[in-house]
């Protein structure tokens, strides 16, 4: 299987057999606060989660699941903050920004 961005570069290992991503996991300090953000601000539907030994919450996000796991998030020090993140897409940035402004959530957000 060839990569879409490198015309003659083959995927190695089991790459050709991987068809999609199942989920992404984010470690959060407060699952309740984070879950409220993902459900109330972003509008992601919360889905059932197995009874694991660690507190968390699961959401569906388009074609992938988002798993919030209670723990100590890694936040590097310094001004060059390259951190784990979730990037989402929309077909109408202006409508999303207007809705966020009207909601006035206690968060900082940016668009590229």
């Amino acid at each position: 299987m060839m990569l879409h961005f490198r015309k003659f570069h083959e995927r190695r290992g089991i790459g050709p057999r991987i068809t999609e991503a199942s989920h992404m996991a984010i470690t959060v300090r407060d699952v309740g606060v984070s879950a409220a953000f993902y459900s109330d601000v972003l509008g992601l539907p919360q889905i059932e989660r197995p009874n694991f030994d660690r507190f968390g919450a699961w959401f569906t996000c388009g074609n992938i699941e988002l798993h919030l796991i209670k723990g100590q998030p890694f936040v590097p020090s310094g001004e060059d903050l390259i951190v784990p993140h979730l990037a989402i897409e929309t077909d109408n940035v202006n409508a999303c920004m207007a809705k966020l402004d009207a909601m006035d959530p206690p968060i900082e957000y940016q668009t590229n």
Side-chain angles (χ1 to χ4, degrees), residues 57-87:
W58 287 9
F59 296 86
T60 184
C61 182
N63 61 345
I64 194 167
E65 290 179 6
L66 170 64
H67 297 179
L68 304 181
I69 302 170
K70 181 174 176 53
Q72 185 62 40
F74 170 74
V75 180
S77 61
E79 293 189 22
D80 185 21
L81 297 179
I82 300 172
V83 296
H85 62 278
L86 166 66

Side-chain angles (χ1 to χ4, degrees), residues 1-12:
M1 175 180 271
M2 299 296 177
L3 296 176
H4 72 281
F5 56 88
R6 295 179 88 185
K7 195 171 186 175
F8 300 106
H9 188 86
E10 273 193 74
R11 291 176 67 183
R12 294 180 279 211

Side-chain angles (χ1 to χ4, degrees), residues 10 17 20 25 56 61 69 78 80 91 97 109 111:
E10 273 193 74
R17 301 284 182 250
E20 62 187 43
C61 182
I69 302 170
D80 185 21
D91 59 359
M97 296 299 287
Y109 53 89
T111 61

Side-chain angles (χ1 to χ4, degrees), residues 5 51 90 93:
F5 56 88
N51 188 18
T90 179
V93 172

